[in-house]
Amino acid sequence: MSFTSALLAEAKVSWQGWALLMFVVTLALGRAFPNRAHRRLPASVWLFIVQLVLLVVTALLAALGHRAVEETRLAQQVTLAMAWVGLSGALLFGVILPRTRFPVSRILQDLVVGAAAVAVIAAVLHNHGVALSGLFATSAVVTAVIGFSLQDTLGNTIGGLALQTDGSVRVGDWIKVGDVVGKVTEIRWRYTAIETRNWETVLLPNSSLMKGPVTVLGRRHGQPEQWRRWVWFNVDFRYPPPEVIAAVEQALRAQPIDNVAAEPAPNCILMDLHESYGRYAVRYWLKDLATDDPTDSAVRTRVMFALRRAEIPLSIPAHALFVTQESEERKESKSASDRRRRLDALRHVELFAPLEDDELERLADALHPAPFTRGEVLTRQGAEAHWLYLLINGDAAVRVAKDGIDTEVARLGPGSFFGEMSLMTGEPRSATVVAQCDIECFRLDAAAFRDLLERRPQLAEPIARLLAERRANLAAVTEGLDAEARRRRMESDSSMLFKKMKAFFKL
Ligand code: CMP
């Protein structure tokens, strides 16, 4: 028999045509869905190549009439069977099942592929007349010996299988086992891999997960995954708890903080009473469990700024209070330097340039410090107005929302003021002003502003001019005015606003 006819005969016996087709289809699908290309694919490709080599060797031996042809044929068919199983597994678990969104755990995949390989190899051996009963008797003894010596490994394996099938711990969950907290990245036969926030990977034997308690963080039946966090702070007894709680809750809820859930809303409670201060806690729900410390820090910053705006200081430990007990002299010098700062701030606002010293001093007394942290909203478009703001340090963006689109119309820097439009026209806030960094402001209430205008009617005109300019800029965004239309709008608005203001303030 020639080599070519022997090769063709061998190829026919082992259905090489179908095998080749399966090989090509799987490779093509693996290429078409690279993300889902299965980890079993490379080994199957190698097995397929090996069986091709064995096929050629078998044909060669057959052409030469060699006795070993039966053994190589058996080896080729077993290899081919394994390649078939591997390719089918890759196709099923790598391409088809992911498309149906029917997740199959890695361990279950291994089990299915393993069982299929045993069945197919048994069938091939049976076809070649190998007695399987003897083989099974020997393997039962071997299994018993191995099983005995590998008790721990079996415990881990069964643990892994149980974890994957009952879904109690899933890949992606954040769990706490003993002192280890981390995100589950893999559940393998022997261990479960956890990545911690410190950039470590901890391999927990599955049997230990089965034995001790495991806390799955942020999981609650029927609720989104979010984890309650506590942020603590202390405030002196002199400040009534309802005021502290209201100031903190208002600041935390007014503007969303990254990774803080809106529902349940963050809340603040008085948790304990100590010698000289109350111990408060903010509880909030963290959405991305990886960012616990940075989000705690953002919440803490909000709390700090809210308390500073409400002029509520964080408590000083009682013993420090006795040491630094304030003398009258010290108090006076503190309030004098505070006043100087306010006056200084007022002198940097161009609008108040015409004011005499005594007018500035009266104005300084009416100012309230209003620090804001990055991202906080100072005025919200459409809200009722109560304050005029003077910006001392930092930047704020003026944003306008129209038809669901939010546009920045201006940037305000140190020395500018805002919030005058509503106070002067009685209309709701025309824009949202957002702190771009930690900023320092003073605010002046509506009554003090009115008092200032009544005393100094000359201020009304420059304010009306600025107001007209700002309104025209806003109209450019909301009504799409071009430069010329904007200029005309400004001119006509300026005198109209001046008259309106005079009437509104009875100047
Ligand atoms: P008010 O409408 O009370 O609240 C929002 C404030 O944003 C507004 O007053 C102005 O002070 C300010 N503002 C609105 N539009 C502009 C603008 N185009 N340029 C600068 N500031 C503006």
Side-chain angles (χ1 to χ4, degrees):
M1 194 184 351
S2 76
F3 171 67
T4 325
S5 51
L7 189 62
L8 287 176
E10 289 300 330
K12 204 169 162 199
V13 170
S14 60
W15 296 31
Q16 217 40 232
W18 287 109
L20 218 59
L21 184 67
M22 168 79 171
F23 179 70
V24 172
V25 167
T26 317
L27 272 191
L29 287 173
R31 259 173 181 269
F33 306 100
N35 294 344
R36 294 173 182 170
H38 203 255
R39 66 200 149 87
R40 212 163 270 112
L41 203 54
S44 309
V45 169
W46 277 113
L47 281 172
F48 194 81
I49 293 168
V50 170
Q51 75 83 26
L52 273 180
V53 174
L54 284 170
L55 187 82
V56 174
V57 174
T58 312
L60 201 63
L61 293 177
L64 295 173
H66 198 283
R67 273 188 302 130
V69 70
E70 270 310 311
E71 281 76 22
T72 47
R73 186 175 293 133
L74 179 60
Q76 180 264 329
Q77 299 214 337
V78 167
T79 320
L80 177 61
M82 284 165 63
W84 261 96
V85 171
L87 290 176
S88 315
L91 196 64
L92 182 67
F93 298 121
V95 179
I96 300 173
L97 285 183
R99 303 212 76 179
T100 63
R101 292 166 192 237
F102 175 67
V104 178
S105 70
R106 194 176 161 142
I107 294 179
L108 200 60
Q109 291 179 19
D110 289 350
L111 270 182
V112 171
V113 172
V118 169
V120 173
I121 292 170
V124 172
L125 292 177
H126 181 71
N127 267 352
H128 278 76
V130 178
L132 291 177
S133 50
L135 202 68
F136 279 129
T138 334
S139 48
V141 174
V142 174
T143 314
V145 173
I146 294 178
F148 187 70
S149 55
L150 295 180
Q151 270 183 30
D152 277 356
T153 314
L154 281 180
N156 283 330
T157 308
I158 292 167
L161 198 60
L163 281 176
Q164 294 228 344
T165 42
D166 70 6
S168 48
V169 173
R170 298 183 290 250
V171 169
D173 281 346
W174 279 84
I175 62 170
K176 180 168 187 289
V177 183
D179 291 338
V180 181
V181 178
K183 187 178 186 174
V184 176
T185 52
E186 236 185 336
I187 302 176
R188 303 287 293 262
W189 282 99
R190 200 175 58 75
Y191 62 82
T192 296
I194 293 178
E195 284 180 4
T196 71
R197 296 192 181 90
N198 289 342
W199 223 257
E200 303 145 339
T201 300
V202 181
L203 307 179
L204 288 171
N206 289 334
S207 55
S208 69
L209 288 180
M210 303 300 293
K211 279 185 211 138
V214 177
T215 312
V216 181
L217 306 183
R219 188 192 287 173
R220 188 169 222 184
H221 186 68
Q223 299 291 330
E225 184 181 288
Q226 45 196 27
W227 186 34
R228 190 168 81 168
R229 303 275 305 165
W230 295 69
V231 170
W232 298 91
F233 64 97
N234 302 331
V235 170
D236 195 288
F237 277 160
R238 281 171 297 177
Y239 300 90
E243 266 177 39
V244 176
I245 291 172
V248 168
E249 286 188 345
Q250 196 278 334
L252 290 174
R253 294 176 186 178
Q255 190 65 14
I257 302 177
D258 281 351
N259 285 324
V260 173
E263 218 24 74
N267 57 41
C268 175
I269 47 174
L270 175 61
M271 283 297 289
D272 204 355
L273 299 174
H274 288 258
E275 305 79 30
S276 62
Y277 59 86
R279 185 150 169 72
Y280 293 82
V282 163
R283 284 110 42 100
Y284 76 90
W285 280 258
L286 178 67
K287 287 197 287 188
D288 174 4
L289 273 60
T291 59
D292 56 346
D293 291 340
T295 313
D296 281 0
S297 160
V299 168
R300 222 170 264 127
T301 310
R302 273 280 168 97
V303 170
M304 246 182 79
F305 276 79
L307 292 176
R308 275 166 61 185
R309 277 200 297 282
E311 297 182 54
I312 301 174
L314 289 169
S315 84
I316 303 167
H319 63 270
L321 274 181
F322 302 133
V323 175
T324 60
Q325 202 165 38
E326 301 211 344
S327 63
E328 279 310 306
E329 213 178 307
R330 197 179 132 87
K331 254 192 215 158
E332 260 171 38
S333 96
K334 244 171 92 178
S335 87
S337 83
D338 201 40
R339 203 145 188 266
R340 265 199 308 280
R341 253 172 61 76
R342 289 171 191 220
L343 276 173
D344 208 36
L346 286 176
R347 289 199 177 98
H348 282 95
V349 180
E350 207 188 312
L351 174 73
F352 300 131
L355 298 190
E356 301 293 341
D357 280 356
D358 60 325
E359 288 171 311
L360 280 176
E361 278 179 24
R362 193 172 311 115
L363 194 55
D365 288 339
L367 293 181
H368 298 269
F372 286 85
T373 186
R374 188 162 69 89
E376 279 194 293
V377 165
L378 292 90
T379 72
R380 192 179 296 280
Q381 187 175 352
E384 197 190 336
H386 303 287
W387 306 95
L388 173 87
Y389 288 90
L390 310 179
L391 182 52
I392 309 303
N393 270 319
D395 291 322
V398 182
R399 311 191 65 93
V400 151
K402 173 95 199 303
D403 302 330
I405 301 171
D406 196 49
T407 315
E408 180 173 327
V409 288
R411 259 309 149 105
L412 302 172
S416 46
F417 64 94
F418 57 93
E420 78 295 348
M421 286 189 176
S422 317
L423 289 190
M424 299 178 78
T425 58
E427 289 166 8
R429 293 288 192 202
S430 61
T432 298
V433 179
V434 187
Q436 297 302 293
C437 51
D438 291 352
I439 63 173
E440 200 185 342
C441 283
F442 282 113
R443 57 188 178 192
L444 188 66
D445 64 25
F449 184 55
R450 172 183 288 258
D451 180 56
L452 175 73
L453 282 180
E454 276 168 7
R455 286 171 192 278
R456 269 292 192 163
Q458 304 93 303
L459 289 183
E461 202 179 342
I463 295 183
R465 224 179 306 117
L466 184 77
L467 205 133
E469 189 185 325
R470 287 180 169 180
R471 271 166 68 115
N473 286 346
L474 282 182
V477 174
T478 54
E479 298 169 32
L481 300 188
D482 62 16
E484 179 53 26
R486 192 191 316 187
R487 194 188 54 76
R488 269 189 273 114
R489 169 74 64 92
M490 211 178 97
E491 273 169 16
S492 67
D493 265 13
S494 186
S495 55
M496 178 273 288
L497 281 167
F498 184 44
K499 280 187 206 133
K500 206 168 160 183
M501 269 174 65
K502 278 174 55 177
F504 188 68
F505 288 104
K506 303 186 182 67
L507 301 177

